[in-house]
Amino acid sequence: MSDAARVNVIRLRLITITQLFNSLDPSPFVGRDLDANAESFIMEWAEEHPAQGEFRLEIEVSQCDDVAAARERVLRAIRAYFSEREQWARQGFRRLMREGRLRVNKSSGLTSSVCH
């Protein structure tokens, strides 16, 4: 299998779907934060996998009344959560780059005025 076709699988085993989400977050299901332990597990495993290829998160739940409904809700919730995290990371990176350019420009200005 080529690197481009590689699928990195992260498996998470739960008793109930509610274990996946932060029980203190009052947001609706799709907007809820992940449980800190679940997020940490997913992120640590993702960092262990090679950067090439795609990721697939497989969640096994031992107690679930309506598997089809749960699958759809969890899929939307996970995508929404990590899409939001990605946006925050991109914004933070842009801010750091902007601040870094300002610092470089200021220090470059000081250097050129001292050298003249």
Side-chain angles (χ1 to χ4, degrees):
M1 178 182 284
S2 72
D3 284 344
R6 174 182 221 110
V7 176
N8 301 296
V9 179
I10 300 169
R11 289 182 180 86
L12 185 61
R13 290 183 178 88
L14 307 171
I15 296 171
T16 65
I17 292 294
T18 57
Q19 289 179 286
L20 188 59
F21 298 97
N22 182 342
S23 60
L24 300 177
D25 188 345
S27 302
F29 193 74
V30 171
R32 263 188 157 166
D33 285 340
L34 290 183
D35 175 78
N37 291 328
E39 179 188 11
S40 178
F41 179 85
I42 293 166
M43 294 302 291
E44 286 174 14
W45 273 99
E47 290 169 356
E48 294 280 328
H49 285 294
Q52 298 81 16
E54 296 183 8
F55 285 92
R56 181 173 65 222
L57 177 62
E58 292 181 358
I59 302 172
E60 181 183 315
V61 180
S62 58
Q63 297 175 8
C64 185
D65 295 332
D66 187 351
V67 174
R71 179 181 290 126
E72 182 59 33
R73 288 175 30 201
V74 167
L75 180 63
R76 286 194 337 260
I78 293 286
R79 283 184 177 162
Y81 181 80
F82 282 107
S83 290
E84 187 174 299
R85 291 286 308 254
E86 179 185 18
Q87 286 177 333
W88 288 344
R90 287 181 188 276
Q91 288 171 351
F93 181 73
R94 282 194 297 269
R95 186 183 69 249
L96 286 173
M97 294 300 291
R98 188 172 46 251
E99 289 172 3
R101 280 194 298 268
L102 289 174
R103 288 187 186 128
V104 168
N105 288 341
K106 287 179 181 178
S107 65
S108 295
L110 291 174
T111 303
S112 62
S113 64
V114 169
C115 293
H116 289 146

